[in-house]
Each structure stands twice: as structure tokens, then as C-alpha cells.
């Protein structure tokens, strides 16, 4: 495991390249949690540019989640096909919307702001197509929580730095 000194060294090296990043805070102008989740689902296994284009096309065609909720899957797929796996992603997004409608009678995830980190993770990961990394992205980028999404590259670097045991842990752990 990394010592505090190792973590601070990594922080200093990153800041020397990227500058000091001010910790974001939630404001009334913050991105809605459901937008953040959908954007993150669209970003899985594709580039930021492509996923941003898919989200923009989706929201241009269907400005509200109520419209996506009742849309034909093929119509949703057409708007997000640029990021690949459109059939799967469209189904995941619409299933989340149907679940929110059935359970809360509203298409919003703003209630997650009131939950603790572990409860947010449980709430998000119960949706098929949402795993630990996606939940961590929503926690960090949208809810401004001290979370650390671990993708393949972070996992590989963490092992190389010996921050995790090479055999004893998985990415999720």
C-alpha cells in the first residue's frame, strides 16, 4: 500500500505537469446526477469526444428524460451509435429511467446527494450496466466526493508502483 509520503510525491509530480487543481464543489449550477450517470455510461469503452457527441445528440433529439423514457429503443440507439454498443447502452439507460419511474415516480437521481458514499455506490451499482468504476465517476465528478475511479490504466500503474498487491487484489477491491 502507498505510504502518505508516496501519495504526496505522486500528487506533487502530477501538479508539476497539470498544475494545482482546485477541489470542485456542488453548486446550484452543478450537473444533474442523472446527466452525469448517462454521460458516464456513454463514456464506457470510448473516447471523451465521442461520448460527448453521443450525449449531445441524445439530448438534442430527446431534450427531457421523459422523452427518452417513452422513446423506441431504435431511436435512442440512432442518437448514440457513434460511441458503439448502442443497443446495450440504450437498453441500460431506458431501464434506469423505467426503474426510477416505478420506484420514485420521477426521473431524477438528485436524492443521491443526501446519501453516504457506500449507499450511493449500492444505489447506482444495482442498475445493470453500472459498475464500480461508473459509480466512482459519478461520486467524484458529479457529487464531488473523494473517490478514485480505477480503470485499466490506473490499475496497471497502481500495480507498477506497488500500491496494490500484484496478485491479492482485484480492480474493484
Amino acid at each position: 500500500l502507498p505510504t502518505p509520503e508516496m501519495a504526496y510525491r505522486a500528487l506533487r509530480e502530477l501538479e508539476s505537469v497539470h498544475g494545482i487543481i482546485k477541489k470542485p464543489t456542488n453548486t446550484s449550477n452543478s450537473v444533474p446526477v442523472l446527466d452525469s450517470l448517462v454521460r458516464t455510461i456513454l463514456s464506457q469503452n470510448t473516447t471523451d469526444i465521442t461520448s460527448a457527441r453521443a450525449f449531445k445528440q441524445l439530448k438534442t433529439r430527446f431534450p427531457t428524460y421523459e422523452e427518452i423514457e417513452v422513446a423506441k429503443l431504435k431511436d435512442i440507439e440512432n442518437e448514440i451509435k457513434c460511441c458503439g454498443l448502442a443497443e446495450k447502452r440504450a437498453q441500460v439507460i431506458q431501464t434506469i429511467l423505467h426503474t426510477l419511474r416505478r420506484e420514485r415516480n420521477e426521473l431524477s437521481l438528485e436524492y443521491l446527494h443526501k446519501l453516504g458514499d457506500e449507499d450511493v455506490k449500492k444505489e447506482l451499482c444495482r442498475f445493470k450496466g453500472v459498475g464500480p468504476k461508473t459509480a466512482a465517476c459519478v461520486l467524484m465528478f458529479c457529487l464531488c466526493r473523494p473517490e478514485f475511479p480505477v480503470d485499466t490504466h490506473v490499475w496497471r500503474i497502481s500495480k507498477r508502483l506497488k500500491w496494490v498487491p500484484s496478485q491479492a487484489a482485484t480492480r474493484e477491491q
Side-chain angles (χ1 to χ4, degrees):
L1 293 175
T3 64
E5 293 78 22
M6 293 166 72
Y8 281 114
R9 179 178 174 217
L11 174 64
R12 285 191 306 275
E13 289 180 20
L14 288 168
E15 287 176 342
S16 75
V17 174
H18 300 287
I20 295 174
I21 308 276
K22 186 177 156 191
K23 180 182 182 258
T25 56
N26 274 308
T27 69
S28 59
N29 297 327
S30 294
V31 172
V33 181
L34 188 53
D35 278 3
S36 179
L37 178 60
V38 170
R39 286 175 188 253
T40 306
I41 290 166
L42 294 173
S43 75
Q44 296 167 347
N45 301 307
T46 192
T47 66
D48 290 343
I49 292 170
T50 303
S51 64
R53 183 170 67 231
F55 184 77
K56 182 179 180 187
Q57 289 172 185
L58 180 67
K59 293 300 277 187
T60 298
R61 171 85 185 272
F62 305 107
T64 68
Y65 284 108
E66 286 75 13
E67 292 172 82
I68 297 171
E69 176 187 25
V70 298
K72 293 179 181 169
L73 279 174
K74 278 287 181 208
D75 293 335
I76 298 169
E77 292 167 22
N78 286 337
E79 300 309 321
I80 64 173
K81 66 183 172 193
C82 64
C83 66
L85 303 170
E87 289 178 24
K88 178 183 173 196
R89 294 177 206 267
Q91 183 66 61
V92 166
I93 293 165
Q94 201 171 56
T95 299
I96 290 169
L97 298 177
H98 290 158
T99 302
L100 290 172
R101 175 66 69 203
R102 186 178 66 252
E103 294 177 358
R104 306 187 69 81
N105 199 30
E106 68 174 347
L107 303 180
S108 172
L109 289 170
E110 295 309 298
Y111 67 94
L112 295 181
H113 285 279
K114 297 175 184 169
L115 301 181
D117 295 351
E118 290 307 312
D119 288 333
V120 170
K121 290 176 193 176
K122 283 181 196 169
E123 186 69 10
L124 292 174
C125 288
R126 72 191 178 101
F127 297 119
K128 185 177 180 185
V130 178
K133 181 184 164 202
T134 297
C137 287
V138 172
L139 273 163
M140 185 175 79
F141 293 117
C142 182
L143 299 176
C144 301
R145 308 282 179 90
E147 188 62 35
F148 196 78
V150 179
D151 64 9
T152 301
H153 308 293
V154 170
W155 178 241
R156 182 175 34 82
I157 292 167
S158 297
K159 285 171 63 174
R160 189 172 291 160
L161 290 171
K162 297 185 171 56
W163 284 15
V164 295
S166 60
Q167 303 297 326
T170 67
R171 225 174 75 179
E172 285 75 25
Q173 292 168 328

